[in-house]
Amino acid sequence: MLYTVKEVSELSKVTIKTLHHYHKIGLLLPCTISEAGYRLYGIKELERLQEILFYKELEFSLDQIKEMMEHHADRLSILSQQEELLLSRKDRLDTIVQTLRKSIGCIKEGENMDNKEMFKGFESEEEWNKALVEQNQYLKETYGMDSLEVVPEKVQEINEQAVEAMTFINKMASSLRAGIKHNDEEIGNLIGYHLEFMNKHGHPTSAKDFAAQTQFFLNDDFHLKMLEDQQTGLAYYLSAAAESFVATNQ
């Protein structure tokens, strides 16, 4: 039995435009084209489309999918590889979901999460790079910046820096909820320790640099939302605290 491109689209929920594109780039060819010019697909083409969709679920690019499918000639080897990759991803996502639920629980209980538990699921360069996809895309589209990439030898260092940064932000959010003023000595000590940590770990940052960064957060939708989603008013509180720290430490 042969299927038209419209029928394949209805079966697979893949748009006709996408199927035409797959044909154009040689990723999914129809088994024949009718005298009237209609693309027709058989069971082999449907199977190949299913394999393509599994790879897309794993977030491979079309070029990568085409190359991998060329190196795996039989369907069984392709599906077996996809099963292995999807199960690995499922395990990682299960861990991340558990970490997320613990984070939500800590927020509801008004507690700070154990630093050792905070980044479970983000333990390799691959996991970090996947986590940075949205931010990298935003920075490239908005500011033309190159993507931030994590290499294996930097994973441990980045984990430590991420823990410190999250601890700092959590303490600032807790201080805001507790009604501690932005210019309180306790807040100044928090900022001072944070800057000291950054300078010791290869990120030279002065008080003025930090204040400029917090001001940038106020004017950048991505970072503003990230902070405000954690605690309403946090971005503004952080900026006011940074300005106060500069004034106190001139």
Side-chain angles (χ1 to χ4, degrees), residues 38-93:
Y38 292 108
R39 297 173 173 87
L40 299 175
Y41 300 81
I43 187 63
K44 293 294 184 183
E45 288 70 41
L46 293 182
E47 290 176 348
R48 184 173 175 88
L49 177 58
Q50 183 198 47
E51 294 159 9
I52 292 169
L53 295 180
F54 280 135
Y55 276 132
K56 279 183 64 64
E57 187 64 30
L58 287 160
E59 299 179 358
F60 287 105
S61 69
L62 294 182
D63 287 340
Q64 289 173 320
I65 293 172
K66 186 176 180 181
E67 182 179 354
M68 285 187 292
M69 294 183 77
E70 288 174 352
H71 285 85
H72 292 272
D74 65 289
R75 179 167 165 79
L76 178 59
S77 68
I78 290 176
L79 293 178
S80 296
Q81 182 202 49
Q82 290 174 330
E83 180 185 30
E84 182 179 342
L85 291 170
L86 283 168
L87 286 174
S88 176
R89 184 179 182 186
K90 178 180 179 295
D91 289 342
R92 184 178 69 85
L93 289 175

Side-chain angles (χ1 to χ4, degrees), residues 110 112 169-180:
N112 287 327
I169 291 297
N170 282 341
K171 287 182 177 179
M172 291 295 291
S174 296
S175 299
L176 174 58
R177 287 193 295 269
I180 299 174

